[in-house]
Amino acid sequence: MITGATVGGGLLVGVGGIGAHLLMHNRINTQREANNDDNAIHINLWLRITPDNFIELVNPHADMGQGSSTGLLQIVAEELDADWSQMRVIQAPAETAYSNGKVFEGFVRELIRLPDWADTLVENGFYRAADLMKMQMTSASTAVRFTGWEVLRKAASATRSMLLSAAVNKLDVSEALLTTQSGFVKHEGSGTTFSYGELATAAALLDSPETVQLKSADQYSYVGMPMPRVDIPAKVFANANYGIDAAVPGMRYAAVAPSAVFGAEVDSINNLDEIMAVKGVSDVLIVPQGVAVVADNPWRAEKAVRSVKFTRQSHKNEALDTNAVIALQQNALAEKLPVAEKIGKPETIDATMSVEYQVPYLAHATLEPMNATVWQQEGKLHIICGVQNPLNARVRAAKEAGLALDDVVLHTRQLGGGFGRRAAITFSNDEPLNWLVQAVRIALDSGKAVKTCWSREMDMRSDVYRPLVVAQYEGALADNGKPLLWRSRSFGNEMDIRMLLPPYEIPNISISFADKAHPIPIGLWRSVEHSQHAFFIESYIDELSAAAGVDPLQYRLSLLNENSPAANVLNKVAEMSAWRYGTDDQNRAMGVSLVKCFGSVIAQVVEASIKSGVPKVHRVWCAVDCGVAVNPQAIEAQVQGAVNFALSAALYGKCEIQSGAVVQSNFHDYRLVNLSQAPRIEVELLNANSPIGGVGEIGVPPLAPALCNALSVINGKRHRTLPLV
């Protein structure tokens, strides 16, 4: 099939059906058709060049504080031989032409080794899939490692080649006599120079080269440099434009209160006349799983909605509480479960060490609560909000409004935190974009332009949560003290079995999980399943090392290939922390953990103490192998932020269920680590030859087990349940 086709040239011989459809998928033409900006030439995938010589990256990923835009610009500037002052980033519109299929392709390629001959078919196939599924996702550390390194790097190199070809045609000279530097093509012999902007129109008419010549590491001038983040000035001077900043003429404000039982709907409002009589109130509405009040300012709306009395429909979750969820999971684990992954012959070995771990439901608690501004204008439904999947959000809004997709306009904005909450993915049958659906419903039912903004209480109690998970581990030691058996059983349907596997060489392993639904909404949370399974795995390997009477860091090293990335980061973090096993004269101890996730490897050492019965983290050392470090400064910041994010969860994070609803409501009972509690964090990146990995989430999973392992040295108690306080 492949040899019978000239891909991209229009000639297909003996290729039909889906194969031809995939092979003929021309992303560049699709995006050019979607680009309505006459002031810039859409020369290559995601790249535009203006006549005044600015290079614009049309970024398909959302900015939610992770700083990936800077890394993407570095990659483009590197391969394009551009000047940093030329570079601009523009948010891609929520259009099918800007779906990012490389995100899906990257995940599949990590799971399955695909043959080289299938590259074009696979790449086009995933772009088609992204088109059909309306996916424009920012999640799982994909922006730089997939879109940037796999797509933009090649697109920029191809663009440089096309600009050179355009200059060759103008000057009628050999390309070997031309050079590119700082956004210009120069003919060395005559000294003639053309800016990229002068060549862009001609270059865009040329065919993209079939192969590109990418720079080697020794040629880099931007990649690997600590470049300042391009989004910082606007945030420092309060010019950044978030969804919550939206304002449109005649806009009113809506506040929402939940039905107070997951899955339950409101049947009727009992004091409608009373609420309608409140000054400024114009509408009182029943919305999916709640009630809403529309008023002329946000505080009047919020005060009024808290006074609404309503009758709720009965629901099976009314008697649900945390203990019932734990019992449900324990009962599921007591059943005969299929083995999802097996190494060796674990069924022939008797376990001698059995333990159970638990982690709670967690909220996202993004700094910017959920919000959306919705209005109708000239036959179109307009929405302003910040989301991690703009195209899919637009589809969901169109469905709720009963409109064609072309009749919905989504104006994307920056996100004041995402962590998976603003993605359009859930691991249950619940609505992940419940806040957006409510906002659309309120605007349509009221007939007004309305900004709907959830209170912190509404946000905390209507989330799609990191799941509560019970996990049971069994093991046995060989005569030499090394693990002979590793057997785990956990609750929840796992997408990637690798998340449940220990990163160590153990001869007999059995992994099972109970593939059953959670009773309350669950979804993506920073580091996804790694956040719970790393806690289980790294806690249990520490328990095995204690049973063997061996230093836990040396124990881990003994189970790894000495030249592996995992062994390298462990050795590095031991060096950074001056590792010691046991307590010092201040009764401080160190704990260690190792996690492979998102294509990277990270080891952490936590130094902690216990003061008046409360854990105190003093220092955290992180050694990271993420392959190519595009922006070391940004990576360091991401890991530091992730450590404090994870520390909040380990110490305090818990959403308790009572009478079918979450008990916690705000930061007084869902606490975050404050400045006085934040530890000193040191991050070092290994200069490794590993493939590029993700960095935005990797600092989260190792923290909780490393902290608990340190505390067990101090008080001799194994902490198998979170949170610690």
Side-chain angles (χ1 to χ4, degrees):
M1 181 178 71
I2 301 299
T3 56
T6 301
V7 179
L11 175 64
L12 291 171
V13 181
V15 182
I18 190 65
H21 182 65
L22 296 181
L23 285 168
M24 286 299 293
H25 185 49
N26 190 327
R27 296 298 298 174
I28 178 66
N29 284 340
T30 304
Q31 290 184 345
R32 282 174 180 163
E33 290 171 5
N35 175 34
N36 297 317
D37 187 353
D38 295 331
N39 296 318
I41 306 303
H42 207 135
I43 193 168
N44 212 316
L45 287 169
W46 314 106
L47 300 179
R48 307 191 311 196
I49 301 177
T50 67
D52 53 351
N53 209 27
F54 283 99
I55 296 162
E56 298 177 342
L57 162 63
V58 185
N59 185 6
H61 291 281
D63 177 358
M64 50 185 170
Q66 78 275 38
S68 60
S69 296
T70 306
L72 296 178
L73 287 177
Q74 286 178 254
I75 292 170
V76 171
E78 188 67 75
E79 292 295 342
L80 200 48
D81 279 343
D83 188 83
W84 191 247
S85 63
Q86 289 180 274
M87 306 303 296
R88 294 174 176 172
V89 63
I90 298 171
Q91 185 65 49
E95 300 284 350
T96 303
Y98 293 92
S99 62
N100 48 9
K102 200 68 183 182
V103 170
F104 296 108
E105 183 185 347
F107 282 125
V108 171
R109 286 186 183 277
E110 287 188 344
L111 292 168
I112 305 169
R113 174 59 182 167
L114 298 169
D116 293 339
W117 60 263
D119 273 357
T120 301
L121 181 65
V122 168
E123 182 171 329
N124 283 315
F126 277 101
Y127 273 117
R128 278 296 191 203
D131 288 355
L132 295 171
M133 296 172 68
K134 307 302 180 187
M135 296 299 282
Q136 198 177 34
M137 178 62 78
T138 301
S139 180
S141 298
T142 55
V144 172
R145 67 172 174 142
F146 291 159
T147 301
W149 202 248
E150 297 296 329
V151 174
L152 293 179
R153 190 163 62 121
K154 295 174 183 176
S157 180
T159 298
R160 177 180 171 275
S161 177
M162 295 161 73
L163 291 165
L164 281 169
S165 295
V168 166
N169 295 339
K170 278 182 174 287
L171 294 171
D172 193 23
V173 297
S174 169
E175 185 176 309
L177 300 176
L178 301 177
T179 59
T180 55
Q181 185 178 7
S182 300
F184 290 85
V185 177
K186 182 177 182 179
H187 178 228
E188 295 295 338
S190 65
T192 303
T193 62
F194 294 107
S195 72
Y196 287 173
E198 293 175 294
L199 297 170
T201 301
L205 299 175
L206 303 174
D207 291 333
S208 184
E210 293 184 5
T211 60
V212 294
Q213 184 65 46
L214 300 172
K215 288 185 178 181
S216 58
D218 61 343
Q219 297 174 300
Y220 291 160
S221 55
Y222 291 116
V223 170
M225 296 295 292
M227 302 296 291
R229 277 175 49 169
V230 296
D231 58 319
I232 294 300
K235 292 175 178 177
V236 169
F237 292 106
N239 295 324
N241 200 357
Y242 294 89
I244 203 168
D245 298 323
V248 297
M251 182 180 75
R252 298 181 76 83
Y253 303 84
V256 185
S259 66
V261 170
F262 285 112
E265 299 293 347
V266 173
D267 192 46
S268 61
I269 297 173
N270 303 332
N271 60 341
L272 179 61
D273 292 341
E274 174 190 336
I275 302 302
M276 287 296 295
V278 173
K279 184 178 181 180
V281 170
S282 60
D283 301 89
V284 182
L285 305 168
I286 295 176
V287 296
Q289 297 187 30
V291 295
V293 171
V294 180
D296 58 356
N297 71 46
W299 181 232
R300 284 176 177 168
E302 185 61 42
K303 283 199 299 183
V305 83
R306 295 185 185 206
S307 300
V308 173
K309 295 180 175 62
F310 57 83
T311 300
R312 183 180 60 240
Q313 296 175 2
S314 62
H315 195 276
K316 63 182 180 180
N317 284 339
E318 287 175 351
L320 187 69
D321 62 20
T322 298
N323 289 333
V325 175
I326 293 171
L328 179 153
Q329 296 197 13
Q330 289 172 330
N331 291 336
L333 297 182
E335 299 174 5
K336 183 175 177 58
L337 301 179
V339 176
E341 186 78 9
K342 187 178 84 166
I343 297 173
K345 297 181 178 180
E347 70 279 0
T348 65
I349 302 169
D350 292 330
T352 58
M353 290 181 57
S354 300
V355 299
E356 181 176 282
Y357 300 100
Q358 293 179 18
V359 294
Y361 289 114
L362 292 176
H364 293 80
T366 59
L367 184 61
E368 178 193 19
M370 301 301 106
N371 67 88
T373 300
V374 184
W375 74 100
Q376 298 178 78
Q377 180 180 336
E378 298 178 354
K380 304 284 186 182
L381 184 73
H382 290 259
I383 303 167
I384 296 175
C385 64
V387 285
Q388 291 176 242
N389 192 338
L391 184 54
N392 196 266
R394 182 176 161 222
V395 170
R396 184 64 187 89
K399 179 181 177 182
E400 183 64 27
L403 296 172
L405 186 61
D406 287 343
D407 292 328
V408 176
V409 181
L410 183 69
H411 308 270
T412 57
R413 294 292 185 265
Q414 293 188 63
L415 289 64
F419 313 127
R421 178 62 181 102
R422 286 180 160 92
I425 294 177
T426 180
F427 299 136
S428 58
N429 293 323
D430 301 273
E431 174 59 68
L433 297 175
N434 49 4
W435 50 278
L436 178 61
V437 170
Q438 287 183 347
V440 170
R441 193 76 267 143
I442 292 166
L444 292 176
D445 291 351
S446 68
K448 301 176 178 68
V450 182
K451 177 193 284 187
T452 299
C453 186
W454 280 6
S455 65
R456 180 61 60 190
E457 289 79 5
M458 179 68 187
D459 197 42
M460 199 73 73
R461 290 173 168 167
S462 303
D463 208 335
V464 285
Y465 302 86
R466 198 288 300 271
L468 181 155
V469 178
V470 175
Q472 297 168 348
Y473 280 70
E474 297 177 331
L477 300 180
D479 292 340
N480 61 3
K482 292 185 178 182
L484 181 63
L485 169 68
W486 180 287
R487 185 182 294 133
S488 74
R489 300 159 67 86
S490 58
F491 186 89
N493 185 359
E494 302 299 341
M495 296 184 298
D496 186 353
I497 199 65
R498 295 174 303 172
M499 297 186 185
L500 282 67
L501 285 168
Y504 307 105
E505 296 175 2
I506 298 172
N508 301 288
I509 297 176
S510 174
I511 307 291
S512 300
F513 56 86
D515 184 4
K516 294 192 176 183
H518 284 258
I520 78 166
I522 61 170
L524 302 175
W525 191 85
R526 193 173 186 178
S527 78
V528 204
E529 290 104 317
H530 289 293
S531 74
Q532 58 257 28
H533 289 291
F535 173 65
F536 305 149
I537 291 168
E538 285 302 294
S539 294
Y540 192 58
I541 196 69
D542 223 68
E543 296 206 40
L544 293 177
S545 72
V550 179
D551 177 311
L553 193 145
Q554 295 304 320
Y555 193 74
R556 287 168 168 80
L557 285 171
S558 73
L559 303 175
L560 297 168
N561 181 305
E562 64 179 2
N563 296 316
S564 66
N568 290 339
V569 294
L570 273 174
N571 282 316
K572 171 54 74 173
V573 82
E575 174 190 321
M576 293 167 60
S577 62
W579 167 262
R580 66 178 185 276
Y581 182 46
T583 56
D584 65 7
D585 56 4
Q586 300 180 72
N587 206 31
R588 296 182 181 184
M590 291 181 175
V592 64
S593 62
L594 167 72
V595 178
K596 295 181 179 180
C597 56
F598 304 102
S600 298
V601 186
I602 180 171
Q604 282 186 6
V605 167
V606 169
E607 182 184 60
S609 64
I610 301 176
K611 298 182 183 296
S612 303
V614 178
K616 167 70 176 177
V617 176
H618 301 278
R619 299 183 70 177
V620 180
W621 295 268
C622 310
V624 175
D625 179 354
C626 60
V628 180
V630 174
N631 189 338
Q633 180 175 277
I635 296 170
E636 180 180 1
Q638 281 294 288
V639 174
Q640 289 173 335
V643 165
N644 282 310
F645 181 90
L647 183 57
S648 293
L651 291 177
Y652 310 120
K654 177 171 62 174
C655 287
E656 298 172 282
I657 310 300
Q658 190 176 88
S659 300
V662 167
V663 174
Q664 283 70 24
S665 63
N666 211 313
F667 292 127
H668 70 286
D669 55 4
Y670 193 86
R671 294 172 60 188
L672 303 182
V673 167
N674 58 39
L675 286 175
S676 67
Q677 297 167 308
R680 177 179 172 185
I681 305 168
E682 296 181 29
V683 181
E684 286 201 26
L685 310 180
L686 274 67
N687 293 320
N689 295 319
S690 308
I692 190 169
V695 297
E697 307 187 66
I698 61 174
V700 173
L703 189 281
L707 170 56
C708 290
N709 293 339
L711 297 178
S712 69
V713 177
I714 299 171
N715 59 17
K717 174 186 175 183
R718 281 292 165 182
H719 299 268
R720 300 184 179 124
T721 301
L722 296 176
L724 296 168
V725 178

